[in-house]
Amino acid sequence: MQNCRRCISLAGLLRMPLFLRPSFSNDLSLRRLHRAAFLYSRKKPETNLSTLFKPVQVHANMDSEDVGSELSGKLEKAELLKILNKFTQRREIKSLCNENGLDAYLQQQAFGSFRRFCIEAENLPVDLHITFSDITQGAGHIDDIFPYFLRHAKTVFPHLDCMDDLKKISDLRQPANWYSNARAITRKIVFHAGPTNSGKTYHAMERYLSAKSGVYCGPLKLLATEVYNKANERGTPCDLVTGEERKFGISENSPANHVACTVEMTSVNTPYEVAVIDEIQQIRDPQRGWAWTRAFLGLIADEVHVCGEPGALDLLQKICETTGETVEVRRYDRLTELTVENTALGSLDNIVPGDCIVCFSKHDIYTVSREIEARGKEVAVIYGGLPPGTKLAQAAKFNDPANSCKVMVATDAIGMGLNLSIRRIIFYSLIKPSMNERGEREIDTISVSSALQIAGRAGRFRTQWEHGYVTAFKSEDLQTLQRILAQTPEPIKQAGLHPTADQIELYAYHLPSSSLSNLMDIFVNLCTVDDSLYFMCNIEDFKFLAEMIQHVPLPLRARYVFCCAPINRKMPFVCSMFLKVARQYSRNEPITFDFIKKNCGWPFKLPKTILDLVHLEAVFDVMDLYLWLSYRFMDLFPEAAYVRDAQKELDEIIQQGVFQITRLLKNTEASQDGDISNYAIRRITHAKEPRLPSLSRGRLTERLLAQGLLTPGMLSELRKEWDAQQVGKSNLQSNENSETVVNSDDEDNYSGIGRKTRKKRRK
């Protein structure tokens, strides 16, 4: 227990629920204790729904004629205040408030507003003035004020008059009934269940390609594009529909009968003969699960073929009970052998051709790729922030037997969407950052499902490596990895849901003064969900964007669409461009290609440092944002073709940067303009135990670099400010004839500049 005292006391441990109490049999259990204690200590109390309703400002009565005074005489403000104070303190009044939906929080807000209204008003409404006059003269009772107070409270909190309507709008217990066209037909549901590399998707796709019409719903643009290419190559005209792109198998004026799309873009109004929903286990995803739920419930197709983990079967069968449908199950076994090795890699010297090292942070990507290239081996690099073209180029480079590149370093982005010829998967770490249901960042051991998905990429059928292997980089992780891979994924228990634009518009009709972020909060906290089947997806990204553009005058529907934009809120450049675009749209001014060029630094240059590369990736995301919006607001985003051409050029530049990622790391260290980042880069590339990026821990430069928050321009400004600050300090301290001492924290964060300053002062 000594190792755990820093997390939680014994008494605190005993107060924890039993399911949070770990055993103490090994180091993993101790780590779980630390995590359990951390999560338990920060567990949030349940939200008080009333606090989500923001009071509406009620202005004092501005009538020019004081009719009340003419009828019953003037009221003394001091006497009025005494009456109001007695009124708010009466137990009977508080009881009446509770009966009318005003809990303690709302009472406090409403009492304060009513008091200000009565005291600050030049002329009170006639009926209220007469009531106060009767009370002061002993002809009325203080409780007579309540009807007027309640009328005021309902003006301050409009939801008091429409709470039943709000609850009906947010009743999500039967989402299957939202799709009447799908319920009007009897669909055949076929579940292709099996592990990675079992051929389950292949069999579903064969039925899709042979049908008269069909739709493929995939989790990634890369997968949808692959299906689009394969269908057209086999003579089945197929269109491509993603959030940022449209391609046509025949022509723009002649839609094909087959469509390949990302799951969010699935049409639930078009009938098909066959529909394929890939990676159905994503239905549990905290952010995107709603899209799979919508597709599964809403597709109008004679046959719906679902592909994914066997763990999703029970949930799909239960959902089908609510739709009156049955599930036909087709099970598949892995086509090639996968062996978990008995020894860890131990050292990068033991890397062999066909190896793929899987990391869960850019820190580790940079560290490992540099160390491998230092050993004279070429490396292909793939991570989530890269453009699709760059990922495909890196995959092609690695897959080509004639290419000298035989090793790959990647994140779990390889888990789906890329065909890779991998001999062995090596887990560099088993710790992965993730987002919980409250939108909070957590770091935990990789899940069984994710581990199996990634490990299964080794030994692909009909490649040069048909026998796959998997191991860990560190010997201390190997036993844990073996235990994880020996398990089967936990059954999926719930499918995701998300508020629709129509539902939020109805909320806005009843609560016209509430912001979009506030409406979403109220909806999520007020909604009723059948939690035996469904959960409400995380809305933190949506709320973040809603709050960012709250001050921008936009119609509610347009505001909702903007907030659905798929952007990374941790990239400040992308967020600032999102805000600029929203402002331009609100002024009804076209967002042109010139606007993008002006704000994104056209023409683009080859990156010289890692920070240059990170910035170019952000610019690529901005162009994706433009294309995404151009399909929803065509009039004000008229130059999508120019942006797409520029994006292709940018993709090629990023490809060249990734091909030379080690040189970029070296340039970042050597750059005189990058002194501030030297310490962070040195830690990233040489640390024995690279730390995962965190929003709340680690040195500032390290966090900013990991999150892509620094650009070359920002670094240059910081360097100038630091130099100016040091000159000022030097002059001041010289006048005082005192010895200069550099603060240890400054030395850690600005080591290069700190050393130069000390040398000058010694001279």
Side-chain angles (χ1 to χ4, degrees):
M1 286 297 294
Q2 289 181 351
N3 293 333
C4 302
R5 284 176 182 166
R6 61 189 179 89
C7 272
I8 192 165
S9 66
L10 177 60
L13 178 64
L14 294 175
R15 287 196 298 270
M16 289 170 62
L18 288 174
F19 71 89
L20 283 180
R21 298 183 194 174
S23 64
F24 294 87
S25 57
N26 53 40
D27 291 339
L28 180 62
S29 295
L30 291 177
R31 290 201 299 272
R32 285 176 176 164
L33 172 62
H34 291 310
R35 171 174 163 71
F38 171 67
L39 292 176
Y40 187 71
S41 65
R42 71 172 187 175
K43 187 177 180 182
K44 293 182 178 179
E46 292 187 8
T47 302
N48 178 7
L49 182 62
S50 295
T51 61
L52 299 176
F53 295 99
K54 308 302 180 185
V56 176
Q57 187 69 33
V58 179
H59 297 289
N61 190 25
M62 301 301 292
D63 291 343
S64 57
E65 297 183 5
D66 190 0
V67 178
S69 296
E70 293 178 6
L71 294 175
S72 57
K74 283 279 186 183
L75 292 173
E76 294 292 333
K77 296 292 183 181
E79 190 65 27
L80 197 60
L81 188 59
K82 289 180 182 179
I83 295 173
L84 289 169
N85 288 338
K86 289 180 181 179
F87 172 78
T88 58
Q89 293 170 9
R90 283 182 57 79
R91 188 174 301 171
E92 293 81 1
I93 295 299
K94 292 180 180 179
S95 178
L96 283 172
C97 286
N98 284 321
E99 291 175 10
N100 285 273
L102 286 158
D103 62 12
Y105 173 82
L106 296 179
Q107 286 178 38
Q108 182 182 9
Q109 300 285 319
F111 283 148
S113 177
F114 185 62
R115 186 184 293 110
R116 286 192 300 273
F117 173 80
C118 294
I119 297 299
E120 295 174 4
E122 291 291 332
N123 307 314
L124 287 173
V126 178
D127 51 355
L128 180 58
H129 184 107
I130 293 174
T131 301
F132 275 123
S133 179
D134 289 346
I135 295 172
T136 57
Q137 296 175 21
H141 192 275
I142 197 168
D143 292 353
D144 296 342
I145 302 172
F146 183 76
Y148 305 100
F149 165 74
L150 186 60
R151 181 176 66 188
H152 180 90
K154 289 181 177 180
T155 305
V156 175
F157 294 108
H159 74 278
L160 294 173
D161 261 341
C162 60
M163 183 59 81
D164 290 340
D165 291 330
L166 296 178
K167 288 181 178 179
K168 288 178 182 177
I169 296 168
S170 54
D171 187 345
L172 311 182
R173 287 174 293 183
Q174 296 179 322
N177 294 341
W178 302 348
Y179 308 101
S180 55
N181 291 333
R183 301 291 77 77
I185 63 174
T186 302
R187 305 183 305 172
K188 178 182 178 181
I189 310 294
V190 182
F191 184 27
H192 301 264
T196 304
N197 203 10
S198 61
K200 58 184 183 298
T201 306
Y202 168 81
H203 288 90
M205 290 306 302
E206 287 299 303
R207 180 66 188 97
Y208 164 82
L209 293 171
S210 65
K212 295 178 181 178
S213 63
V215 59
Y216 168 84
C217 312
L220 300 170
K221 289 183 285 186
L222 283 175
L223 278 173
T225 303
E226 181 184 345
V227 170
Y228 162 79
N229 291 329
K230 182 182 295 184
N232 286 296
E233 288 169 3
R234 287 184 49 170
T236 302
C238 179
D239 293 342
L240 174 69
V241 179
T242 71
E244 301 81 16
E245 190 172 20
R246 306 289 187 276
K247 288 184 178 179
F248 303 96
I250 304 173
S251 71
E252 186 173 353
N253 298 321
S254 300
N257 291 330
H258 287 71
V259 178
C261 63
T262 46
V263 67
E264 285 88 352
M265 301 303 297
T266 303
S267 170
V268 292
N269 299 313
T270 305
Y272 301 99
E273 181 183 348
V274 171
V276 176
I277 306 174
D278 206 358
E279 304 292 353
I280 189 61
Q281 68 274 5
Q282 293 291 105
I283 203 169
R284 67 178 165 206
D285 185 83
Q287 276 75 41
R288 299 177 65 203
W290 62 269
W292 275 264
T293 305
R294 173 178 172 271
F296 184 71
L297 291 174
L299 276 167
I300 310 169
D302 297 330
E303 297 179 24
V304 178
H305 290 256
V306 181
C307 308
E309 293 178 2
L313 176 58
D314 288 345
L315 175 62
L316 296 186
Q317 288 177 328
K318 290 178 182 177
I319 292 176
C320 283
E321 289 175 4
T322 69
T323 64
E325 297 165 329
T326 57
V327 181
E328 176 187 327
V329 184
R330 300 178 187 175
R331 299 184 183 274
Y332 303 84
D333 295 323
R334 184 176 168 86
L335 296 173
T336 60
E337 192 174 349
L338 181 66
T339 301
V340 182
E341 296 184 338
N342 293 322
T343 57
L345 186 70
S347 168
L348 295 177
D349 294 327
N350 299 325
I351 289 288
V352 297
D355 280 351
C356 174
I357 300 185
V358 177
C359 308
F360 296 115
S361 73
K362 276 192 178 181
H363 283 189
D364 292 348
I365 289 283
Y366 296 153
T367 302
V368 174
S369 58
R370 175 167 181 169
E371 291 293 329
I372 293 175
E373 291 203 346
R375 289 163 169 78
K377 297 176 182 178
E378 194 174 345
V379 178
V381 177
I382 293 178
Y383 52 87
L386 292 177
T390 303
K391 290 178 184 174
L392 291 173
Q394 292 287 300
K397 169 184 169 183
F398 175 75
N399 288 339
D400 185 0
N403 197 293
S404 59
C405 176
K406 304 297 183 185
V407 180
M408 173 172 285
V409 179
T411 62
D412 53 346
I414 65 164
M416 60 181 74
L418 289 168
N419 292 321
L420 298 168
S421 180
I422 298 173
R423 174 187 173 273
R424 178 171 60 174
I425 289 286
I426 302 160
F427 285 88
Y428 190 69
S429 168
L430 297 180
I431 304 298
K432 178 184 176 181
S434 62
M435 201 73 71
N436 66 17
E437 66 278 2
R438 295 189 297 271
E440 298 166 335
R441 189 180 180 87
E442 293 182 350
I443 296 178
D444 195 8
T445 304
I446 186 173
S447 69
V448 173
S449 176
S450 295
L452 289 170
Q453 183 84 15
I454 296 168
R457 305 298 288 180
R460 185 173 178 82
F461 186 57
R462 290 180 179 171
T463 66
Q464 60 177 323
W465 310 112
E466 287 210 351
H467 189 142
Y469 298 88
V470 59
T471 189
F473 180 77
K474 304 169 188 173
S475 56
E476 59 265 29
D477 287 340
L478 184 58
Q479 187 177 357
T480 302
L481 177 62
Q482 291 171 336
R483 186 167 62 252
I484 290 174
L485 295 178
Q487 301 176 45
T488 56
E490 292 184 3
I492 299 172
K493 298 179 180 178
Q494 294 174 310
L497 296 174
H498 192 277
T500 66
D502 291 336
Q503 290 167 331
I504 297 302
E505 277 190 336
L506 287 172
Y507 257 51
Y509 171 79
H510 290 293
L511 304 172
S513 299
S514 296
S515 67
L516 178 56
S517 175
N518 189 221
L519 290 173
M520 291 292 285
D521 258 339
I522 295 171
F523 186 98
V524 169
N525 282 274
L526 199 59
C527 70
T528 308
V529 175
D530 180 0
D531 56 12
S532 68
L533 295 176
Y534 302 102
F535 71 94
M536 182 61 64
C537 281
N538 182 273
I539 60 167
E540 292 306 310
D541 286 350
F542 186 100
K543 285 173 53 186
F544 176 85
L545 297 181
E547 289 166 3
M548 186 190 304
I549 61 172
Q550 178 54 39
H551 64 286
V552 179
L554 291 170
L556 181 68
R557 177 70 67 150
R559 190 182 300 277
Y560 182 95
V561 172
F562 264 84
C563 294
C564 289
I567 69 173
N568 185 349
R569 62 172 176 165
K570 294 182 177 63
M571 300 183 73
F573 179 74
V574 180
C575 292
S576 67
M577 284 300 298
F578 173 78
L579 181 56
K580 289 180 181 179
V581 168
R583 285 173 178 160
Q584 185 92 338
Y585 178 90
S586 72
R587 295 191 290 265
N588 204 34
E589 297 176 5
I591 295 87
T592 63
F593 182 47
D594 285 337
F595 175 89
I596 297 297
K597 289 195 296 185
K598 177 183 176 182
N599 287 280
C600 292
W602 178 274
F604 306 121
K605 299 178 181 178
L606 284 172
K608 296 181 179 179
T609 67
I610 285 294
L611 296 175
D612 292 342
L613 180 62
V614 169
H615 179 67
L616 291 180
E617 291 169 7
V619 173
F620 191 94
D621 286 351
V622 170
M623 291 184 171
D624 258 354
L625 171 64
Y626 184 99
L627 296 174
W628 191 89
L629 291 168
S630 72
Y631 286 108
R632 291 148 180 86
F633 307 107
M634 295 182 183
D635 293 344
L636 292 181
F637 292 83
E639 296 182 346
Y642 295 115
V643 172
R644 184 169 285 107
D645 289 341
Q647 194 180 43
K648 290 178 182 177
E649 177 186 332
L650 178 58
D651 195 341
E652 293 175 358
I653 293 173
I654 292 174
Q655 285 181 39
Q656 295 180 52
V658 174
F659 279 133
Q660 305 176 58
I661 196 165
T662 297
R663 183 175 62 82
L664 300 187
L665 283 165
K666 291 179 179 178
N667 288 348
T668 306
E669 287 186 336
S671 173
Q672 291 299 314
D673 290 338
D675 279 340
I676 294 176
S677 65
N678 282 353
Y679 176 79
I681 293 293
R682 232 181 4 262
R683 285 191 59 84
I684 291 170
T685 55
H686 291 106
K688 293 181 180 178
E689 189 71 34
R691 292 187 295 179
L692 289 166
S694 170
L695 294 179
S696 58
R697 295 198 301 273
R699 290 176 172 82
L700 178 61
T701 50
E702 186 175 345
R703 298 204 309 271
L704 295 178
L705 180 69
Q707 299 162 32
L709 303 184
L710 286 176
T711 65
M714 294 164 64
L715 279 174
S716 179
E717 290 183 20
L718 284 171
R719 184 178 64 81
K720 291 175 182 177
E721 291 179 11
W722 176 258
D723 287 342
Q725 182 180 356
Q726 292 304 306
V727 170
K729 284 184 178 180
S730 178
N731 292 338
L732 178 63
Q733 291 174 349
S734 296
N735 292 336
E736 294 175 353
N737 294 319
S738 61
E739 182 179 354
T740 301
V741 178
V742 180
N743 181 278
S744 60
D745 290 335
D746 293 339
E747 187 171 356
D748 279 342
N749 287 308
Y750 305 99
S751 56
I753 295 175
R755 286 195 298 273
K756 292 177 183 177
T757 305
R758 289 198 301 274
K759 287 179 181 177
K760 290 179 182 178
R761 289 169 185 164
R762 290 192 190 106
K763 292 178 182 179

